[in-house]
Amino acid sequence: MTCGVLEGRAGSGTYVAEPRQRVRVVRSSAREQREGSPFRADMKAVGKHGGWESRTDAKVPAPAEIAARLGIAEGELCVRTSYEFLADGRPVQLSTSWEPYDLTSGTLVVLPEGGPHAGAGVVNRMAVIGITVSHAVEQPEPRQATAEEASLLGIQKAALVTHIRRTYYSDQGRPVETADIVVPAAHCEIVYEIPINR
């Protein structure tokens, strides 16, 4: 007898899905590497090749929820970057990142995936312009995938995902970036590593 997750195929029927090993995604302050991408470091640690596809739009007006998270007025301009993160070429995570445009405009780091610091991560990019990121706040909650998320992640519509609202703060207490991260429960396990300071 085969045990597995059932998946429906439109016009065809219901089948046992191909078994897929879950990828471990570690959420930790140790993820922030001095150089390179935190995601690539995570994937390397579990023996996978990490990569991503992205699309950046500059000067996007902040919707109300994003503005509140960034501590700016609704409609203020932001740089929005949408990511599809891949492990060995398969999608394992989605993220939409928002940064206040007035923070990075006119600098070499205005585009997260462009210029000499492309793909370096928020902490390293902000350091280039003299901003020290001191901490991040993450709020995870389970929900069902939207049709668009399901399509991008290769999962069933309404499959379970973990939605993480993450915001990075400078040492002055200013939010410098906020993101909505979507991780499919069937493909990933999320592990939080909490440092203990003695």
Side-chain angles (χ1 to χ4, degrees), residues 124-149:
N124 295 323
R125 288 178 42 255
M126 292 298 161
V128 170
I129 58 172
I131 296 172
T132 300
V133 175
S134 63
H135 67 286
V137 174
E138 294 193 347
Q139 177 186 346
E141 65 181 44
R143 65 167 172 79
Q144 293 180 316
T146 66
E148 181 182 9
E149 290 165 349

